[in-house]
mmCIF file with all atom_site columns, all heavy atoms in Angstrom:
data_model
loop_
_atom_site.group_PDB
_atom_site.id
_atom_site.type_symbol
_atom_site.label_atom_id
_atom_site.label_alt_id
_atom_site.label_comp_id
_atom_site.label_asym_id
_atom_site.label_entity_id
_atom_site.label_seq_id
_atom_site.pdbx_PDB_ins_code
_atom_site.Cartn_x
_atom_site.Cartn_y
_atom_site.Cartn_z
_atom_site.occupancy
_atom_site.B_iso_or_equiv
_atom_site.pdbx_formal_charge
_atom_site.auth_seq_id
_atom_site.auth_comp_id
_atom_site.auth_asym_id
_atom_site.auth_atom_id
_atom_site.pdbx_PDB_model_num
ATOM 1  N N   . ALA O 1 117 ? 72.306 115.412 98.757  1.00 80.00 ? 176 ALA O N   1
ATOM 2  C CA  . ALA O 1 117 ? 72.088 115.439 97.316  1.00 80.00 ? 176 ALA O CA  1
ATOM 3  C C   . ALA O 1 117 ? 71.500 116.842 96.869  1.00 80.00 ? 176 ALA O C   1
ATOM 4  O O   . ALA O 1 117 ? 71.803 117.266 95.797  1.00 80.00 ? 176 ALA O O   1
ATOM 5  C CB  . ALA O 1 117 ? 71.035 114.406 96.925  1.00 80.00 ? 176 ALA O CB  1
ATOM 6  N N   . ALA O 1 118 ? 70.750 117.490 97.754  1.00 84.00 ? 177 ALA O N   1
ATOM 7  C CA  . ALA O 1 118 ? 70.129 118.773 97.387  1.00 84.00 ? 177 ALA O CA  1
ATOM 8  C C   . ALA O 1 118 ? 71.165 119.896 97.157  1.00 84.00 ? 177 ALA O C   1
ATOM 9  O O   . ALA O 1 118 ? 72.291 119.804 97.648  1.00 84.00 ? 177 ALA O O   1
ATOM 10 C CB  . ALA O 1 118 ? 69.180 119.215 98.509  1.00 84.00 ? 177 ALA O CB  1
ATOM 11 N N   . SER O 1 119 ? 70.812 120.821 96.269  1.00 85.00 ? 178 SER O N   1
ATOM 12 C CA  . SER O 1 119 ? 71.638 121.954 96.090  1.00 85.00 ? 178 SER O CA  1
ATOM 13 C C   . SER O 1 119 ? 70.782 123.217 95.813  1.00 85.00 ? 178 SER O C   1
ATOM 14 O O   . SER O 1 119 ? 69.546 123.077 95.702  1.00 85.00 ? 178 SER O O   1
ATOM 15 C CB  . SER O 1 119 ? 72.621 121.721 94.878  1.00 85.00 ? 178 SER O CB  1
ATOM 16 O OG  . SER O 1 119 ? 71.855 121.532 93.738  1.00 85.00 ? 178 SER O OG  1
ATOM 17 N N   . GLY O 1 120 ? 71.406 124.360 95.764  1.00 87.00 ? 179 GLY O N   1
ATOM 18 C CA  . GLY O 1 120 ? 70.670 125.561 95.423  1.00 87.00 ? 179 GLY O CA  1
ATOM 19 C C   . GLY O 1 120 ? 69.474 125.897 96.363  1.00 87.00 ? 179 GLY O C   1
ATOM 20 O O   . GLY O 1 120 ? 69.582 125.744 97.595  1.00 87.00 ? 179 GLY O O   1
ATOM 21 N N   . TRP O 1 121 ? 68.323 126.237 95.747  1.00 89.00 ? 180 TRP O N   1
ATOM 22 C CA  . TRP O 1 121 ? 67.163 126.628 96.509  1.00 89.00 ? 180 TRP O CA  1
ATOM 23 C C   . TRP O 1 121 ? 66.709 125.564 97.496  1.00 89.00 ? 180 TRP O C   1
ATOM 24 O O   . TRP O 1 121 ? 66.415 125.805 98.627  1.00 89.00 ? 180 TRP O O   1
ATOM 25 C CB  . TRP O 1 121 ? 65.934 126.929 95.564  1.00 89.00 ? 180 TRP O CB  1
ATOM 26 C CG  . TRP O 1 121 ? 66.173 128.071 94.672  1.00 89.00 ? 180 TRP O CG  1
ATOM 27 C CD1 . TRP O 1 121 ? 66.533 128.055 93.342  1.00 89.00 ? 180 TRP O CD1 1
ATOM 28 C CD2 . TRP O 1 121 ? 66.019 129.489 95.010  1.00 89.00 ? 180 TRP O CD2 1
ATOM 29 N NE1 . TRP O 1 121 ? 66.656 129.318 92.863  1.00 89.00 ? 180 TRP O NE1 1
ATOM 30 C CE2 . TRP O 1 121 ? 66.338 130.258 93.843  1.00 89.00 ? 180 TRP O CE2 1
ATOM 31 C CE3 . TRP O 1 121 ? 65.670 130.172 96.147  1.00 89.00 ? 180 TRP O CE3 1
ATOM 32 C CZ2 . TRP O 1 121 ? 66.311 131.592 93.797  1.00 89.00 ? 180 TRP O CZ2 1
ATOM 33 C CZ3 . TRP O 1 121 ? 65.652 131.548 96.104  1.00 89.00 ? 180 TRP O CZ3 1
ATOM 34 C CH2 . TRP O 1 121 ? 65.920 132.260 94.941  1.00 89.00 ? 180 TRP O CH2 1
ATOM 35 N N   . GLN O 1 122 ? 66.782 124.309 96.947  1.00 89.00 ? 181 GLN O N   1
ATOM 36 C CA  . GLN O 1 122 ? 66.317 123.171 97.713  1.00 89.00 ? 181 GLN O CA  1
ATOM 37 C C   . GLN O 1 122 ? 67.187 122.994 99.005  1.00 89.00 ? 181 GLN O C   1
ATOM 38 O O   . GLN O 1 122 ? 66.611 122.817 100.099 1.00 89.00 ? 181 GLN O O   1
ATOM 39 C CB  . GLN O 1 122 ? 66.399 121.866 96.840  1.00 89.00 ? 181 GLN O CB  1
ATOM 40 C CG  . GLN O 1 122 ? 65.836 120.676 97.572  1.00 89.00 ? 181 GLN O CG  1
ATOM 41 C CD  . GLN O 1 122 ? 64.402 120.771 97.840  1.00 89.00 ? 181 GLN O CD  1
ATOM 42 O OE1 . GLN O 1 122 ? 63.577 121.118 96.950  1.00 89.00 ? 181 GLN O OE1 1
ATOM 43 N NE2 . GLN O 1 122 ? 63.950 120.587 99.067  1.00 89.00 ? 181 GLN O NE2 1
ATOM 44 N N   . ALA O 1 123 ? 68.478 123.162 98.847  1.00 89.00 ? 182 ALA O N   1
ATOM 45 C CA  . ALA O 1 123 ? 69.367 122.975 99.999  1.00 89.00 ? 182 ALA O CA  1
ATOM 46 C C   . ALA O 1 123 ? 69.079 124.088 101.063 1.00 89.00 ? 182 ALA O C   1
ATOM 47 O O   . ALA O 1 123 ? 68.958 123.802 102.256 1.00 89.00 ? 182 ALA O O   1
ATOM 48 C CB  . ALA O 1 123 ? 70.844 123.144 99.538  1.00 89.00 ? 182 ALA O CB  1
ATOM 49 N N   . GLU O 1 124 ? 68.924 125.328 100.574 1.00 90.00 ? 183 GLU O N   1
ATOM 50 C CA  . GLU O 1 124 ? 68.704 126.417 101.545 1.00 90.00 ? 183 GLU O CA  1
ATOM 51 C C   . GLU O 1 124 ? 67.351 126.234 102.266 1.00 90.00 ? 183 GLU O C   1
ATOM 52 O O   . GLU O 1 124 ? 67.257 126.419 103.451 1.00 90.00 ? 183 GLU O O   1
ATOM 53 C CB  . GLU O 1 124 ? 68.753 127.766 100.790 1.00 90.00 ? 183 GLU O CB  1
ATOM 54 C CG  . GLU O 1 124 ? 69.040 128.842 101.799 1.00 90.00 ? 183 GLU O CG  1
ATOM 55 C CD  . GLU O 1 124 ? 69.903 129.986 101.165 1.00 90.00 ? 183 GLU O CD  1
ATOM 56 O OE1 . GLU O 1 124 ? 70.925 129.675 100.600 1.00 90.00 ? 183 GLU O OE1 1
ATOM 57 O OE2 . GLU O 1 124 ? 69.486 131.096 101.263 1.00 90.00 ? 183 GLU O OE2 1
ATOM 58 N N   . HIS O 1 125 ? 66.372 125.737 101.484 1.00 91.00 ? 184 HIS O N   1
ATOM 59 C CA  . HIS O 1 125 ? 65.073 125.461 102.069 1.00 91.00 ? 184 HIS O CA  1
ATOM 60 C C   . HIS O 1 125 ? 65.185 124.387 103.147 1.00 91.00 ? 184 HIS O C   1
ATOM 61 O O   . HIS O 1 125 ? 64.641 124.504 104.241 1.00 91.00 ? 184 HIS O O   1
ATOM 62 C CB  . HIS O 1 125 ? 64.093 125.010 100.972 1.00 91.00 ? 184 HIS O CB  1
ATOM 63 C CG  . HIS O 1 125 ? 62.758 124.670 101.449 1.00 91.00 ? 184 HIS O CG  1
ATOM 64 N ND1 . HIS O 1 125 ? 61.843 125.596 101.884 1.00 91.00 ? 184 HIS O ND1 1
ATOM 65 C CD2 . HIS O 1 125 ? 62.188 123.445 101.562 1.00 91.00 ? 184 HIS O CD2 1
ATOM 66 C CE1 . HIS O 1 125 ? 60.749 124.971 102.280 1.00 91.00 ? 184 HIS O CE1 1
ATOM 67 N NE2 . HIS O 1 125 ? 60.950 123.624 102.106 1.00 91.00 ? 184 HIS O NE2 1
ATOM 68 N N   . ASN O 1 126 ? 65.944 123.292 102.827 1.00 90.00 ? 185 ASN O N   1
ATOM 69 C CA  . ASN O 1 126 ? 66.133 122.180 103.764 1.00 90.00 ? 185 ASN O CA  1
ATOM 70 C C   . ASN O 1 126 ? 66.724 122.725 105.080 1.00 90.00 ? 185 ASN O C   1
ATOM 71 O O   . ASN O 1 126 ? 66.345 122.308 106.153 1.00 90.00 ? 185 ASN O O   1
ATOM 72 C CB  . ASN O 1 126 ? 67.027 121.105 103.244 1.00 90.00 ? 185 ASN O CB  1
ATOM 73 C CG  . ASN O 1 126 ? 66.390 120.342 102.113 1.00 90.00 ? 185 ASN O CG  1
ATOM 74 O OD1 . ASN O 1 126 ? 65.229 120.572 101.783 1.00 90.00 ? 185 ASN O OD1 1
ATOM 75 N ND2 . ASN O 1 126 ? 67.137 119.500 101.484 1.00 90.00 ? 185 ASN O ND2 1
ATOM 76 N N   . LEU O 1 127 ? 67.708 123.575 104.938 1.00 93.00 ? 186 LEU O N   1
ATOM 77 C CA  . LEU O 1 127 ? 68.367 124.095 106.138 1.00 93.00 ? 186 LEU O CA  1
ATOM 78 C C   . LEU O 1 127 ? 67.396 124.924 106.991 1.00 93.00 ? 186 LEU O C   1
ATOM 79 O O   . LEU O 1 127 ? 67.291 124.686 108.221 1.00 93.00 ? 186 LEU O O   1
ATOM 80 C CB  . LEU O 1 127 ? 69.567 125.014 105.685 1.00 93.00 ? 186 LEU O CB  1
ATOM 81 C CG  . LEU O 1 127 ? 70.305 125.692 106.865 1.00 93.00 ? 186 LEU O CG  1
ATOM 82 C CD1 . LEU O 1 127 ? 70.921 124.697 107.860 1.00 93.00 ? 186 LEU O CD1 1
ATOM 83 C CD2 . LEU O 1 127 ? 71.465 126.580 106.337 1.00 93.00 ? 186 LEU O CD2 1
ATOM 84 N N   . GLU O 1 128 ? 66.655 125.806 106.328 1.00 94.00 ? 187 GLU O N   1
ATOM 85 C CA  . GLU O 1 128 ? 65.702 126.610 107.087 1.00 94.00 ? 187 GLU O CA  1
ATOM 86 C C   . GLU O 1 128 ? 64.614 125.720 107.809 1.00 94.00 ? 187 GLU O C   1
ATOM 87 O O   . GLU O 1 128 ? 64.256 125.918 108.971 1.00 94.00 ? 187 GLU O O   1
ATOM 88 C CB  . GLU O 1 128 ? 64.983 127.616 106.169 1.00 94.00 ? 187 GLU O CB  1
ATOM 89 C CG  . GLU O 1 128 ? 65.873 128.772 105.904 1.00 94.00 ? 187 GLU O CG  1
ATOM 90 C CD  . GLU O 1 128 ? 65.417 129.538 104.627 1.00 94.00 ? 187 GLU O CD  1
ATOM 91 O OE1 . GLU O 1 128 ? 64.345 129.283 104.114 1.00 94.00 ? 187 GLU O OE1 1
ATOM 92 O OE2 . GLU O 1 128 ? 66.200 130.399 104.149 1.00 94.00 ? 187 GLU O OE2 1
#
Side-chain angles (χ1 to χ4, degrees):
S178 62
W180 296 100
Q181 186 62 51
E183 202 145 308
H184 176 73
N185 290 356
L186 176 59
E187 283 161 10

